[in-house]
Amino acid sequence: MNEQNNPCRYIQLPTPCGEIRGLQQDGCLLFAGVTYARAQRWEDPQVVRAWVGVYDATQQGPACCQHVQFHGRQPSDFYYNENAEKPTYRYSEQDGLNLNIWTPEEGENLPVAVFIHGGSFVGGCNASPNIFRGADYCRRGVVLVSINYRLNAFATGYDATHKGNYALKDQVAALTWVRENIAAFGGDPERVTLMGESAGALSVQLLLYCPYAKGLFRGAVMMSGGGDFGQLGTPARPAIAQAVWRMVMDRFGVQSLDELKHAPAQEVYDAWLAAGATESNLANNCAKPIVDGDWIPDHFAPLAMRGAVADVPCVIGMSSDDMWPFYLYSFAVEWGAYHARAGRAPVYGYYLDRALPGGDGEGAYHGCDLWYAFGTLDRNWRPFEELDRRISQDMIDYLAGFIKTGRPQAEGLAQWEPLTDASTRFLRFGGQKPAMCQPPADKLAASSRNSLRPFPGM
């Protein structure tokens, strides 16, 4: 929606942290750039529990440190160029831990969705006004929250006293802030559903294992990243982080990360990037969360044996031309079978095979479902059709139903059946109406040759 034709006014309300000012806009209330925690470099986040005066939450907050901040562009501009109007971002190491809240103008004890962005644990943010928009969820009686978390070198610091996993720690801090404050915004802290895409979906998966996230959510939506990704290196082994950070410290001639606490951020980032580039295994895994025996106690199999994986209903989504379509399909099927055999909460799979109009034949590419899931097709340059708008509204209807009840259901739409050890059918988005289908496993395997596809544009 064009903001110039969508007048807004200020709104102010009390919270446990103090008074906050936001915007009444697009039929909902928006509180943007709310700092949920503060953290020094390579230190645990400290949840914000009070602020002085009235907090100004009328504009997006800065993103966490990342490549484009230091070098002017990402390795690929594909996703940036998908925007009809090119957004601009601010970056900060000190103030990047912030979140956005969209909530209905009137409501109490409403279900809440907390969205974790993707970006391979190296980039991305919650501040993209062209992708993330909560108005469609507010109209369905859902509060939507989107969060930032530390990335790349600033999330992975590892030495004798620092064990990385700061991204996961930030995410738990955000969930803790939501639990303590969301009632003031009309949300129910006991009805929080996690959502994430790509690295955000992998984060959701890891939060299912994280003992410090226990009780902070009751459902999970994983878009292009659900299931056990252990065989693809997520979570990574501590030796990965140890090797990279040993090279970084050697480059600076120091013995501990504490000696780099005040080094220029770009110098630290560039040293970390160079260390990871020394071999492909390090490059592919050095930004990922690691099995540290604490925040991520172990890999999935032994945790499942101990019953240490959160038993919550899940939605796992994928697109037909995703980066790893066969893996995504297989991991979702395996996750559904695991839940069914163990008598756990149901797992629902979706398959988007609508080739996006325009472009150079990217098809239903990795991450394209975000435009549909947030109702922001109008902010993409592509010539979307009525079919696309219908898919978007159907997807939001189902997801809102899941956030409300733990079941992806919507009036007038097909029943979404769960995955089991006997059924591998997914709900298909792409035809005139959503319907259960069997994804073409052979085609998915052949198209990816059982290996990862590159990001679009690379």
Side-chain angles (χ1 to χ4, degrees), residues 380-394:
N380 187 298
W381 64 266
R382 293 173 181 267
F384 288 112
E385 303 168 5
E386 181 58 33
L387 172 60
D388 298 287
R389 289 183 281 275
R390 183 175 300 171
I391 291 171
S392 176
Q393 292 305 303
D394 290 346

Side-chain angles (χ1 to χ4, degrees), residues 107 131 152 205 249 299 320 333 377 384 453:
I131 296 179
N152 52 72
Q205 184 76 31
M249 289 186 285
H299 290 283
S320 57
V333 167
L377 298 176
F384 288 112
R453 296 158 60 97

